[in-house]
């Protein structure tokens, strides 16, 4: 897009890369470095930018002492499941909004979308008794269902946005070939919509993955705790302030998801580019 | 239609045995509604019903003392609206959401522009950029809290080293510092998502249009101002919606980073509602606060979104 | 399970085995099973509250003494007097510990362990600053702090709680008492607006100005600082030892540095101040009315047994709540615990936390103190604003001012 | 194998009437082309025949059965879309076999029918590729293949060649001609392209503004257009139109650069005459039966030369098509001779007054 | 007002050589068309001239000044893009005035220059519309208008009409011809379309695989192609090629259905002869100077008739173009007579052996 042949252009470009790059990546570097410092080096007023002694002690203690693996697993299960449910619901709703006409279609869609502004904390107050009534309090299914709150509306919108761009001719062709509406959707539309679906899945996933509020409230058993509260309760809380451990744990819990994202981000960008948001 | 078919002078044929009743359009309508149903049901149970219930609760006094709520009309709203803390919360929310959204738009756009430019190592940087977004929000709060830490934080360390300050500063203990920190953290976390949207927008730019502008004599800044920004307008609109939603609903980072303090400097609405409900046990008041929030946001949101959906 | 026990100790890595021991012991003795429900300390009140709303209250809950008033209205809360008889309880429990569980003449809680929040010094830090004697008056205290500040680089001489509302409350209350001030009187009148209060707060603000205390320190941070000998004093419960051992990374070897001491007084001879602290046990009736045969009442009875009381509190570095356990040699011979008991003879009530609107009061107090410490308000302004806001809150909670 | 009968077909989208009553019969085995300007409703009509949209009013019958409410797949119809509408995630074989799979045809049969169609279309070697790995022409073939394997009673094509470049278009046109020959199925073909319609169709339907202007064989339309619209629409370069001036005698009218003598006096007043570029030749100025003008521009294609002649005393420009390469001086006075037997006369309402072929055109 | 000189221009994208040394001079005021198959480098060359891409090697001069490193806006060049590349968010006037605005031309002058250009292009009434509110042809005009207002020394067009439908294409072609006449500016025009190139250009450059095959006037290329590629590329329907068989005498070769007699014996062995469809006629079987075959297919356009003739004993099919409407029986023995003076002879390497025009083609 830009012509970088001039010196000023090069300078501005380089300067911006450094500035934003530093902002984005320094914290990550710092997290890694801090996790590798022994406590004596960590708790210093003048920090060292390159640790003098690398130690895996924080990692060692989190492996042996904490329940991090369990929290991580719980988070992956609940976030994964809720993102899946969310995506499935949103796929149908988005397609319905995009390709069918019926009374109330647009107001319903807009209302759903606006609902994304309802304060989650407020909803939680009433979700809690609902979950209790269904016996879902302190259960993974309960948490998973509650997580629908976070992203369903936006997920519906994103897929609506994408499906609107799927050419009608393609659907007509399948109809002429004798496919029913559901058949068309399942065998034609969904297979060609993988990138946007991945995008929506990841977007939903991230909301649940980040959640602190719901899981802190709806889950009390430690064996079902997710990483948000898990980290907070293990490392920085009323009785503890273990920064080195917190950094190491942060890295460990981030690793699988970062790896997965590295793999999926191509689809993610593709999905957005394909019109998941427009 | 039937009357047409019976119109005189028309050839009369037997109706094909495959013909279906009700015609095409009715069938389509039914299928459309059927597909919407699961999401609509989930939405009603998990979002709408709790909201309606909260709406009801906002007219009750429902605190720890009153296990059975008592109806008190608009008293909660009156109490909230006359409480300076409410207004403070609204103010802080505006600063927080506004600051974070603007900051993220600017930096996310800048980063997208950079990553849209071919250079060596671009792929790697693009892949790494996703990181701040995918680390759990608790983690990002940890990292920034650690960076801002008054005793062992790197900011203090660097400033001390450079002798710009002579004693460590407690950044998170000043209202400005704490607000800045939560905003910086929020921006840091959302840059990747915004970047992805902008990048996607940029990848849809018609290269011929940019070429045409170059031939017309446009330099880099003119390309940005006259072509890229107008092109990105729709993306910008969406990104702002997502940014505002994300900012308003953000609880995790702030809660883990400052807990809403010092004093109440970072008590945005989501934190205030939580506090009211789960620390002070005043459900009625918390509901009223939430209802007020929705009442403020819903109408503009609805119209903005309608514009978004229609303007496509 | 026959009963469920929600508690925070079970959520803490270090205390969990001790809890499991209690449960195993109970099951062995009665054949009844206990379902432990862990809940983080900070979340416990919320969890109880939400469970009350959804009518899924556990049968037994471990709570902190200052939450009792706010939980006292919950339906089904057992008055132990009606089950065990007042006299029986008085026979078993130490009076000051039992008193913490009483509200309006009802015995709503019994102590699991008790003690006080008092001051702890770090010998290593004192030595570095060349201080040989522990300070007894406020003046000496401040002089020592200055010495530490100057001799121990990058230290926080007094790791006072300056973040985290409930931590600030305890520290501030302590100094209020030291200066002879009160926040709320026993009748629920807010009396914080006094010269003594102003003096107390001004003293703390002064410490901050002199960089003898630091902002952004909560209890855990304080423990870390002390554990690393970067702070010389702080306020904590006797459990302090357990934490410091762990935070210093030295384990029991660090015990030599942990010095329980008396909180400094304004003038020599004054009674040193400390604040009551306990872990209490409340129960929700399994039958109406509750009887001794109920599983949860059997459990309560078991908790007063020496088997529990000589084990659990000691492992947590705290005093048992029963008379017999206190007399038990295991407890009596623990040097640290006895030193602690000796230094903090007359713990006082937490006069803020005990009200039903304790959460709000704590917030107000902490916010105002913080505002003063951070220089956003003068000490005077903070105290009068605290007074006004607390009065409003108390009025609303039904305590005429 | 099917006869298609439309009677009184109407289609409205909301308040907009797109088709305003179409009556049409397509005989069994006939190849019918729909032509007409953009937006005239060609695609809409095709979609109605296919069953993709609901007919607002009227009746449609295939082989004597009313199919108004029959879903597309049950009509025995296959359609080839303008954008091909290939399923991008399926292989060529998958695309072609999709309809059969849906119909529950056994695997082996699908396989053999796909293979047979692929052979006809010479795409056997691409069967395992995805559409995006194919060139435009190959995609087009797959789209046709998808229609063929279903062995439909009627084929529908919506501008199937419009996305191809000129050379490929010629090639695929010949392909379709071959297919029509081989299959002998009833076909309805929408096109923008003159040549396609003229060369492929047995019968052309000219649509305009939602109504049928004329139905007939290609040469019928070319030689005997019923109105000015059809006359101007069919043929390239398009027919020249000359406005008639004052009536000089019963059957003599003034035109730019001369006058025109009609074979007979007409009851209805003639307004314009039309002459195709290939029916005009250049002569010396003043030659008998010629109008006066001058050449303002020429275009040399090698095989043909187009001369643009401005008639004296008017703004009318006649396009003249001359065979082969002709050297023509520009801006010199010249005569144009139009073959009067090939000219057409139109009324003010645009109707062709077929009986009034002019007998001569001459300079005044 | 400008002369453009390219010498030894090369362009590589990475390891791919797209242009392999182009030498070309475009005289002041000349209209040059680039034609060639897809992917031959036409657009690339145009982009180099415009300055949008960097020249890998070689030199480019405008009016004698080397401009290799001059940015596009400073070359005095305007370009009309295939997709028009209008700025979608600016009005028509904004689009047209954009370059002037960037150049700091005062508002009133921009206004008057835009108005003037709009008048020339007859788009005055659309000046306040956004591009998406315009039809294809109107957009095309705006794109040209945007180029005109800059008063460039050289106009570049990249397939400007390829997105228009047939009728509009004809109209706009005439428009461009008029513009060329009026402005007299140097123009370089890339096209796929035979007719555009033939009718508009003073000089056609045929590109193939990154090199120039032939440069010359349209009729030069049509009549004297230097090689088989150019012969086949120029002219529509394209030239028929017949493979020569065994040499029967010094200057007599076998071809399908007969033999060919060349004017002289050639030093280089001839391999093929080429005859354009318009230079062939149908005769009775066995007529003198004719080859034997039969008509397999006919296409009737009204103005022309195409006959596809399969020559006896081979798979070669000759396309024959006959003027007007001809009724032709299919699959009956027939003779084809080719005008031998119009035939071309090519060597095995595809070079035109211009000296060897055949004297006759006859049935064996
Ligand atoms: N779904 C629709 N809703 C409203 N109007 C429609 C719809 N589909 C088509 N139209 C209108 O119907 C008219 C005919 O459209 P149609 O697509 O049949 O034209 P067409 O003859 O195929 O044109 P083209 O040659 O450009 O493809 C147009 O004016 C169009 O705007
Ligand atoms: N940026 C690029 N990177 C690599 N290869 C390129 C690039 N641009 C063009 N090419 C290649 O250069 C060759 C010539 O492309 P060019 O666009 O000039 O062809 P063209 O003659 O304009 O074709 P068309 O008629 O299809 O427009 C093509 O093979 C193309 O793939
Ligand atoms: Mg159409
Ligand atoms: Mg090109």
């Amino acid at each position: 897009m830009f012509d970088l042949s001039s010196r000023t252009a090069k300078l501005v470009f380089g300067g911006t890369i450094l500035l934003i790059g530093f902002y984005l990546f320094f914290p990550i570097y710092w997290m890694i470095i801090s996790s590798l410092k022994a406590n004596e080096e960590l708790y210093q007023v003048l920090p060292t930018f390159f640790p003098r002694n690398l130690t895996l002690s924080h990692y060692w203690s989190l492996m042996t002492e904490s329940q991090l693996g369990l929290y991580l697993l719980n988070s992956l299960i609940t976030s994964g499941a809720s993102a899946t449910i969310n995506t499935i619901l949103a796929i149908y709703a988005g397609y319905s909004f995009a390709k069918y006409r019926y009374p109330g279609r647009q107001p319903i869609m807009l209302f759903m979308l606006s609902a994304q502004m309802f304060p989650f904390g407020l909803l939680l107050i009433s979700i809690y008794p609902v979950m209790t009534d269904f016996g879902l309090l302190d259960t993974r299914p309960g948490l998973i269902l509650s997580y629908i709150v976070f992203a369903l509306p936006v997920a519906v919108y994103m897929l609506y946005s994408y499906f609107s761009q799927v050419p009608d001719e393609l659907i007509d062709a399948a109809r002429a070939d004798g496919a029913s509406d559901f058949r068309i959707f399942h065998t034609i539309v969904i297979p060609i919509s993988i990138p946007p679906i991945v995008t929506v899945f990841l977007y939903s996933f991230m909301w649940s993955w980040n959640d602190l509020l719901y899981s802190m409230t709806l889950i009390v058993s430690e064996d079902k705790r997710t990483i948000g509260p898990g980290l907070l309760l293990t490392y920085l809380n009323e009785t503890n302030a273990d920064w080195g451990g917190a950094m190491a744990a942060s890295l460990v819990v981030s690793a699988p998801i970062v790896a997965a994202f590295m793999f999926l981000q191509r689809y993610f960008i593709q999905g957005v580019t394909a019109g998941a948001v427009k | 239609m039937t009357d047409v078919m019976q119109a005189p002078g028309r050839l009369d044929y037997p109706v094909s045995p495959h013909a279906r009743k009700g015609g095409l359009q009715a069938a389509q309508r039914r299928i459309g509604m059927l597909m919407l149903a699961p999401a609509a049901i989930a939405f009603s149970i998990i979002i709408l019903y709790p909201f309606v219930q909260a709406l009801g609760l906002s007219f009750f006094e429902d605190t720890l003392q009153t296990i059975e709520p008592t109806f008190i009309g608009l008293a909660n709203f009156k109490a909230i609206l006359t409480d300076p803390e409410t207004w403070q919360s609204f103010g802080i929310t505006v600063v927080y959401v506004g600051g974070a959204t603007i900051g993220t738009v600017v930096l996310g756009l800048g980063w997208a522009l950079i990553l849209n430019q071919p250079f060596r190592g671009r792929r790697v940087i693009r892949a790494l950029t996703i990181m701040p977004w995918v680390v759990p929000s608790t983690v990002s709060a940890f990292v920034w809290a650690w960076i801002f830490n008054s005793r062992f934080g790197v900011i203090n360390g660097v400033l001390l080293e450079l002798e710009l300050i002579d004693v460590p500063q407690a950044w998170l203990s000043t209202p400005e510092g704490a607000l800045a920190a939560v905003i910086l953290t929020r921006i840091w976390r959302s840059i990747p998502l915004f970047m992805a949207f902008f990048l996607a927008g940029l990848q849809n730019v018609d290269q011929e249009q940019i070429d045409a502008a170059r031939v017309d004599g446009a330099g880099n800044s003119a390309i940005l101002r006259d072509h890229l920004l107008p092109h990105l307008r729709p993306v910008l609109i969406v990104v702002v919606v997502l940014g505002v939603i994300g900012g308003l609903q953000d609880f995790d980072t702030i809660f883990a980073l400052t807990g809403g303090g010092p004093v109440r400097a970072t008590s945005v609405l989501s934190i205030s509602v939580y506090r009211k409900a789960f620390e002070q046990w005043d459900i009625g008041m918390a509901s009223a606060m939430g209802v007020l929030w929705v009442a403020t946001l819903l109408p503009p949101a609805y119209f903005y979104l309608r514009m978004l959906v229609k303007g496509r | 399970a026959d009963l469920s026990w929600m508690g925070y100790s079970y959520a803490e890595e270090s205390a969990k085995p001790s809890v499991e021991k209690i449960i195993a012991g109970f099951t062995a003795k009665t054949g009844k099973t206990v379902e432990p429900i862990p809940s983080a300390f900070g979340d416990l009140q919320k969890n109880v509250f939400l469970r009350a709303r959804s009518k899924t209250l556990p049968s037994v809950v471990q709570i902190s003494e200052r939450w009792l008033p706010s939980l006292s209205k919950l339906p089904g809360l057992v008055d132990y007097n009606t089950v065990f008889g007042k006299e029986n309880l008085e026979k078993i429990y130490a009076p000051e510990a039992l008193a913490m569980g009483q509200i309006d003449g009802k015995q709503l809680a019994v102590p699991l362990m008790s003690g006080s929040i008092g001051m702890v010094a770090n010998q290593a830090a004192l030595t570095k600053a060349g201080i040989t004697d522990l300070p007894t008056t406020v003046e000496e205290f401040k002089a020592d702090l200055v010495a530490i500040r100057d001799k121990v680089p990058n230290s926080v001489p007094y790791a006072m709680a300056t973040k985290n509302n409930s931590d600030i409350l305890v520290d501030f209350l302590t100094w209020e008492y030291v200066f002879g001030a009160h926040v709320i009187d026993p009748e629920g009148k807010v009396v914080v607006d006094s010269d003594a209060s102003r003096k107390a707060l001004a003293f703390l603000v002064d410490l901050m100005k002199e960089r003898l205390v630091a902002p952004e320190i909560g209890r855990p941070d304080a423990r870390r600082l002390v554990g690393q000998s970067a702070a010389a004093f702080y306020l904590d419960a006797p459990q302090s030892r357990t934490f410091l051992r762990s935070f210093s990374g030295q384990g029991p070897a660090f015990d030599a540095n942990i010095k329980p001491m008396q909180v400094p007084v304004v003038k020599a001879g004054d009674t040193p101040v400390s604040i009551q602290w306990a872990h209490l046990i409340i129960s929700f009736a399994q039958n109406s009315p509750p009887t001794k045969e109920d599983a949860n009442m059997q459990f309560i009875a078991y908790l007063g047994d020496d088997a529990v009381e000589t084990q659990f509190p000691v492992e947590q570095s705290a005093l048992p709540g029963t008379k017999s356990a206190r007399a038990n040699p295991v407890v009596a011979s623990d040097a640290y615990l006895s030193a602690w008991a000796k230094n903090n003879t007359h713990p006082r009530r937490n006069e803020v936390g005990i009200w039903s609107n304790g959460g709000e009061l704590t917030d107000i107090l902490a916010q105002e103190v913080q505002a003063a410490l951070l220089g956003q308000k003068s000490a005077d302004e903070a105290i009068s604003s605290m007074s006004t806001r607390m009065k409003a809150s108390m009025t609303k909670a039904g305590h005429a001012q | 194998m099917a006869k298609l009968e439309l009677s009184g077909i109407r289609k409205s989208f909301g308040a907009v009437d797109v088709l305003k009553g179409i009556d049409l019969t397509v005989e069994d085995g006939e190849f019918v082309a729909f032509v007409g300007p953009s937006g005239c409703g060609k695609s809409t009509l095709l979609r109605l025949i296919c069953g993709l949209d609901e007919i607002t009013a009227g009746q449609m019958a295939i082989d004597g059965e009313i199919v108004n409410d029959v879903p597309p797949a049950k009509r025995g119809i296959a359609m080839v879309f303008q954008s091909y509408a290939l399923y991008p995630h399926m292989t060529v074989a998958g695309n072609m076999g999709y309809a059969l799979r849906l119909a529950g045809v056994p695997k082996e049969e699908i396989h053999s029918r796909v293979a047979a169609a692929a052979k006809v279309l010479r795409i056997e070697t691409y069967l395992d590729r995805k559409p995006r790995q194919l060139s435009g022409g190959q995609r087009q073939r797959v789209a046709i293949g998808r229609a063929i394997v279903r062995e439909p009673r009627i084929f529908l094509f919506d501008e199937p060649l419009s996305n191809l470049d000129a050379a490929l278009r010629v090639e695929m046109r010949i392909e379709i001609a071959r297919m029509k020959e081989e299959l002998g199925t009833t076909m309805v073909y929408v096109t923008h392209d003159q040549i396609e319609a003229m060369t492929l169709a047995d019968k052309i339907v000219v649509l305009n503004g939602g109504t049928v202007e004329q139905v007939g064989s290609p040469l019928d339309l070319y030689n005997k257009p019923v109105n000015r619209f059809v006359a101007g629409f069919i043929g390239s370069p398009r027919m020249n139109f000359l406005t008639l001036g004052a009536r000089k005698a019963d059957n003599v009218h003034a035109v730019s650069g001369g006058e025109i003598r009609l074979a007979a006096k007409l009851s209805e007043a003639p307004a314009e005459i039309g002459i195709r570029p290939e029916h005009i030749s250049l002569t010396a100025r003043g030659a008998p039966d010629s109008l006066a003008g001058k050449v303002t521009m020429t275009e040399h294609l090698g095989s043909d030369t187009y001369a643009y002649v401005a008639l004296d005393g008017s703004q009318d420009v006649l396009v003249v098509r001359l065979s082969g390469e002709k050297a023509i001086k520009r801006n010199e006075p010249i005569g144009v001779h139009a073959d009067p037997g090939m000219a057409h006369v139109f009324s003010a309402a645009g109707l062709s007054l077929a009986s009034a072929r002019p007998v001569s055109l001459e300079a005044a």
Side-chain angles (χ1 to χ4, degrees), chain C residues 2 72 83 91 103 122 148 178 197 224 237 249 269 301 303 312 335 351 375 377 396:
Chain C
D2 298 304
S72 64
V83 180
K91 264 185 238 158
I103 286 192
N122 177 314
I148 292 158
V178 168
S197 283
R224 173 150 323 269
L303 289 183
F312 186 75
E351 58 189 33
K377 284 182 179 171
K396 200 177 144 214

Side-chain angles (χ1 to χ4, degrees), chain B residues 31-46:
Chain B
I31 294 170
M33 286 155 128
L34 188 62
M35 284 186 167
L36 175 61
I41 291 170
F43 176 83
S44 307
I45 296 178
I46 303 287

Side-chain angles (χ1 to χ4, degrees), chain D residues 50-124:
Chain D
C50 187
L52 293 170
D53 280 329
E54 206 161 17
I55 296 172
T56 306
Q59 197 172 273
M60 179 167 135
I62 298 180
D63 279 342
E65 251 175 354
I66 295 176
V67 295
N68 283 38
D69 285 332
V70 176
K74 300 248 166 72
R75 294 187 184 194
I77 282 182
M79 178 150 169
V80 176
F81 291 84
Q82 181 171 8
S83 65
Y84 315 147
L86 297 181
Y87 311 131
H89 58 294
M90 297 184 188
T91 60
V92 167
N95 264 279
M96 290 170 63
Y98 183 66
L100 301 182
R101 226 174 66 214
L102 289 176
V105 174
K107 271 232 169 100
E108 305 75 52
E109 192 184 336
I110 296 182
H111 194 79
S112 65
R113 272 163 77 174
V114 166
K119 192 155 174 221
V120 172
L121 294 163
R122 281 172 286 142
I123 46 174
E124 301 109 302

Side-chain angles (χ1 to χ4, degrees), chain C residues 126-194:
Chain C
L126 296 180
T127 313
K128 252 191 251 174
I131 297 165
T132 47
D133 297 329
L134 291 172
T136 51
T137 64
V138 169
E139 254 165 73
E140 288 170 24
F141 179 60
K142 189 175 168 191
D144 286 353
L145 293 181
V146 172
I148 292 158
R149 179 191 69 197
D150 296 342
K151 302 241 175 68
V152 185
N154 293 317
S155 62
V156 178
Y158 165 31
M160 183 172 78
T162 48
K163 85 171 182 203
N164 201 328
N165 295 349
S166 52
D167 296 345
I168 293 177
L169 170 69
V170 169
D171 282 37
F172 181 69
L173 262 189
T174 304
W175 292 105
E176 280 276 285
Y177 297 160
V178 168
F179 282 85
H182 287 276
V183 179
I184 299 176
D185 73 9
E187 279 72 49
K189 284 228 161 20
V190 176
V191 294
V192 72
D193 199 352
S194 65

Side-chain angles (χ1 to χ4, degrees), chain A residues 168, chain D residues 11-14 16-19 35-47 53 82 158-159 190-192 207 210:
Chain A
D168 287 337
Chain D
K11 176 71 189 173
S12 323
F13 291 108
V16 189
D17 288 344
V18 172
L19 295 178
V35 299
S38 194
C40 67
K42 304 183 293 291
S43 299
T44 305
L45 184 52
L46 212 61
R47 291 172 56 83
D53 280 329
Q82 181 171 8
D158 194 356
E159 309 198 20
V190 168
T191 180
H192 253 116
L207 289 168

Side-chain angles (χ1 to χ4, degrees), chain C residues 46-92:
Chain C
K46 182 180 73 189
N47 283 329
V48 172
F49 180 67
L50 286 170
R51 278 170 172 265
R53 284 181 72 82
S54 50
K55 314 215 167 8
T56 51
L57 279 166
S59 29
V60 176
V61 184
Q62 172 191 20
I63 65 166
S64 170
E65 92 290 337
R66 66 195 103 130
W67 302 337
L68 182 61
S70 59
L71 298 174
S72 64
K73 292 266 170 47
L74 291 176
L77 201 58
V78 175
D79 176 359
Y80 294 117
N81 286 339
T82 65
V83 180
F84 300 105
K86 197 168 184 320
E87 311 74 37
N88 287 329
L89 292 173
E90 279 169 356
K91 264 185 238 158
I92 299 170

Side-chain angles (χ1 to χ4, degrees), chain A residues 168-170 172-180 183-184 187-189 191-192, chain D residues 47 50 52 72-73 81-83 85-90 98-99 102 146 150:
Chain A
D168 287 337
E169 274 201 354
L170 202 60
D172 287 342
R175 190 163 288 148
D177 270 350
S180 68
R183 198 70 182 258
I184 293 173
T187 59
I188 307 290
V189 180
I192 64 170
Chain D
R47 291 172 56 83
C50 187
L52 293 170
F81 291 84
Q82 181 171 8
S83 65
L86 297 181
Y87 311 131
H89 58 294
M90 297 184 188
Y98 183 66
L102 289 176
R146 194 168 61 179
R150 292 181 49 206

